[in-house]
Amino acid sequence: MATEGTSTTILPDLPDKYRVFLHLEPPSISWRHGKPPTYGIVNQLFEEGRTKEWPKGSLEEIVQNAVKSWEMELSHKIKLQDFNTINPHKFKLFVNGREGLSGEETLRIGSYNAFLKSPLPEEFQYYKAEEETFESSHDAFRSCFPRGFAWEVIEVYSPPPLIAFKFRHWGFFEGPFKSHSPTGELVQFSGLATLKVDESLRVEEAEVYYDPAELFGGLLKGKITASESQTKDNVKEDLAASVGCPFFKPKE
């Protein structure tokens, strides 16, 4: 449920059928990049790769579009009071059982950092959310998924006011991720979520459960760049020299 991705090159002026709020916004809305986003490229990825096509007006379609609209607001609006998809006074986000994040905190750190925080010791973390900003996290995933990171609802288990559903997230690893070269392969993961909503279907609490290793298993398959590999070798040599390890020679 991280950012799906945006485009300004495909059909920028046509309505987005998955994010209805995007075309009903007043001129007073403050957009992060100065104007509303467009989703032409990732919508194409979604339509070509989805496993379900829900009937118009079905609960599954409503939930799917609501989450897409929330992602759009979280990634592109600056002020929480401009959100249509959540109750800003009550909203809490819980990911994999961790302590809940308020709406303001989620907006400050961004969707990727909110969903990718890890309780593991730092040396075992695939991605160090504490070291990333909103901008750097989005740049990293826009880089590795240039066609966007598509999202779909697989199944809905219960209706409002507590909606439970299964989802799938996917993209093609066609650009570099940190020091890892792209493989061109499909990277995907699935998870479960619940949304506690009010009478206007605005989310008050969201709980999400998924395995981050499914995502990073694909991204870390990419070969490490030569410069990064050399840097790691140098660090190993310096460390070994400092403790007198006979298996590495200190640099001249």
Side-chain angles (χ1 to χ4, degrees):
M1 295 173 68
T3 301
E4 288 194 284
T6 62
S7 166
T8 56
T9 59
I10 296 182
L11 306 180
D13 298 318
L14 296 182
D16 190 305
K17 58 186 174 182
Y18 305 115
R19 303 165 185 85
V20 62
F21 291 123
L22 185 56
H23 307 284
L24 300 175
E25 302 287 11
S28 59
I29 295 294
S30 297
W31 296 101
R32 187 171 296 275
H33 302 291
K35 59 182 179 181
T38 57
Y39 284 82
I41 289 177
V42 76
N43 283 350
Q44 181 177 347
L45 178 67
F46 165 73
E47 290 168 359
E48 292 174 350
R50 61 186 169 185
T51 62
K52 306 283 187 178
E53 187 168 357
W54 301 112
K56 188 171 180 60
S58 64
L59 179 59
E60 291 84 359
E61 186 205 41
I62 291 170
V63 172
Q64 183 167 265
N65 290 353
V67 174
K68 287 178 180 289
S69 294
W70 174 70
E71 176 279 318
M72 176 274 294
E73 293 188 314
L74 180 59
S75 297
H76 295 281
K77 289 184 175 179
I78 296 174
K79 300 176 182 178
L80 199 66
Q81 58 265 35
D82 289 338
F83 280 44
N84 297 294
T85 55
I86 68 170
N87 183 326
H89 305 293
K90 295 184 178 181
F91 181 80
K92 284 280 189 179
L93 172 64
F94 302 86
V95 180
N96 288 340
R98 296 195 302 271
E99 182 179 355
L101 296 172
S102 68
E104 288 290 356
E105 178 67 3
T106 306
L107 180 59
R108 183 183 68 81
I109 66 176
S111 55
Y112 285 112
N113 291 331
F115 283 99
L116 294 174
K117 278 189 172 186
S118 173
L120 294 173
E122 184 175 347
E123 61 267 28
F124 298 117
Q125 292 181 16
Y126 313 110
Y127 172 90
K128 295 178 173 59
E130 306 295 341
E131 298 178 3
E132 301 284 348
T133 64
F134 184 110
E135 291 76 15
S136 69
S137 64
H138 280 250
D139 287 345
F141 284 92
R142 286 194 188 105
S143 170
C144 69
F145 296 131
R147 283 193 280 162
F149 200 18
W151 188 92
E152 71 171 335
V153 163
I154 300 297
E155 190 168 0
V156 175
Y157 302 110
S158 62
L162 186 61
I163 305 168
F165 60 94
K166 183 177 182 180
F167 66 88
R168 170 178 170 253
H169 226 331
W170 75 98
F172 287 91
F173 185 16
E174 297 170 325
F177 176 72
K178 303 293 188 178
S179 59
H180 293 268
S181 299
T183 64
E185 295 179 359
L186 173 69
V187 175
Q188 63 182 333
F189 68 89
S190 59
L192 300 171
T194 63
L195 303 176
K196 179 182 177 184
V197 299
D198 63 17
E199 63 277 2
S200 299
L201 294 182
R202 295 184 305 167
V203 179
E204 296 180 344
E205 290 185 4
E207 293 193 39
V208 181
Y209 298 90
Y210 77 104
D211 182 1
E214 287 189 76
L215 168 62
F216 289 106
L219 297 178
L220 300 183
K221 286 173 64 176
K223 292 182 179 180
I224 297 178
T225 58
S227 59
E228 181 72 11
S229 179
Q230 183 62 47
T231 298
K232 291 185 177 180
D233 288 344
N234 290 343
V235 170
K236 287 180 181 179
E237 289 182 359
D238 289 344
L239 178 60
S242 70
V243 297
C245 177
F247 298 105
F248 290 98
K249 294 181 180 180
K251 292 189 295 184
E252 297 297 331

